[in-house]
Amino acid sequence: MSGAVSGFGMTSQRTRTRMIERLREQGIVDEEVLAAIAAVPRHIFVEEALASRAYEDTALPLGFSQTISQPYVVARMIAALRAGRQLGRTLEIGAGCGYQAAVLAQLTDEVYAVERIEPLLAKARINLRAIKQLKVRLKHADGQLGLPEAAPFDTIIVAAAASRVPPALLRQLAPGGRMILPVGGATQYLALIEHRTEGYVETRLDAVRFVPLLSGVE
């Protein structure tokens, strides 16, 4: 038999199942979210040298001072956005390697993903093509500005920590929509923001640790 790495994608189902079982144990109860995560081969999205760690519940480095998010955090954020509703038209800020966008695309047909670092965006395109996920619309742009040409969005998910909620993202959140993002600096928390008739309502969720949300493009 050839080396374990080359066969990893074919033999990873058991490892992937264990990851899903861990997510259940950690309190993720949305079966559609769990099924979406189970359907995405995370080892495709990590560096080849880290493929053997792809199904650990940990963030992994991508280069460019970025990381692929911990599976639990991806599941937690998407489950909070879904609770009692469908995602609808979804905007992801911080596409990174394309992993979270691939999970989102299992749950809605309209996924837009913005990434400010062009080589990372190129990597996301390659990864999404490798799993034949062609629904995600990728854009090289400053995530703090959102994607006004495709707004409004029913759902916005931000994969980097903002010191405050970017006003442009609030403006692009449809009535009845939800946004989730990490907020803070040295100390961060997940903020779930709902666009209700009376205005924007924020709920603080878990403590988290994300790379900072930066402006501009590279």
Side-chain angles (χ1 to χ4, degrees):
M1 184 181 278
S2 60
V5 172
S6 62
F8 191 81
M10 295 170 64
T11 60
S12 64
Q13 189 57 52
R14 191 169 55 203
T15 317
R16 217 182 296 183
T17 300
R18 281 203 298 270
M19 179 180 73
I20 298 304
E21 288 168 357
R22 283 197 303 272
L23 294 178
R24 277 201 187 93
E25 289 165 6
Q26 290 172 279
I28 304 300
V29 297
D30 186 326
E31 288 298 327
E32 288 188 45
V33 170
L34 291 169
I37 289 178
V40 176
R42 192 170 184 250
H43 62 277
I44 297 293
F45 294 86
V46 303
E47 299 298 318
E48 194 173 334
L50 297 172
S52 63
R53 299 186 60 199
Y55 297 99
E56 294 177 11
D57 191 26
T58 187
L60 294 170
L62 290 175
F64 310 99
S65 300
Q66 304 298 303
T67 58
I68 180 172
S69 292
Q70 176 187 357
Y72 171 76
V73 173
V74 172
R76 175 76 171 107
M77 291 172 77
I78 297 174
L81 288 166
R82 267 176 52 87
R85 66 193 279 271
Q86 296 300 311
L87 293 177
R89 178 177 287 222
T90 298
L91 172 65
E92 180 194 28
I93 303 298
C97 61
Y99 172 69
Q100 185 168 256
V103 175
L104 290 165
Q106 303 293 318
L107 296 162
T108 180
D109 288 333
E110 291 190 278
V111 180
Y112 298 79
V114 169
E115 174 54 58
R116 61 181 291 275
I117 302 172
E118 196 162 22
L120 259 187
L121 190 73
K123 190 177 291 190
R125 286 190 204 284
I126 291 167
N127 292 340
L128 289 166
R129 203 173 296 133
I131 65 165
K132 298 181 170 56
Q133 179 48 263
L134 306 177
K135 287 194 293 190
V136 179
R137 299 167 178 89
L138 294 166
K139 178 80 181 283
H140 181 224
D142 182 342
Q144 294 204 40
L145 303 179
L147 197 59
E149 63 266 34
F153 297 97
D154 303 300
T155 298
I156 300 177
I157 185 167
V158 183
S163 56
R164 66 188 184 102
V165 181
L169 299 186
L170 284 176
R171 287 194 296 270
Q172 291 171 37
L173 188 62
R178 286 182 189 162
M179 169 164 53
I180 197 165
L181 75 164
V183 176
T187 303
Q188 300 171 11
Y189 64 91
L190 281 180
L192 179 67
I193 295 167
E194 298 174 87
H195 188 179
R196 298 181 185 170
T197 50
E198 66 269 29
Y200 298 99
V201 178
E202 178 182 317
T203 304
R204 289 192 179 206
L205 304 177
D206 316 354
V208 288
R209 187 74 188 143
F210 278 79
V211 297
L213 180 65
L214 301 176
S215 59
V217 294
E218 296 177 15

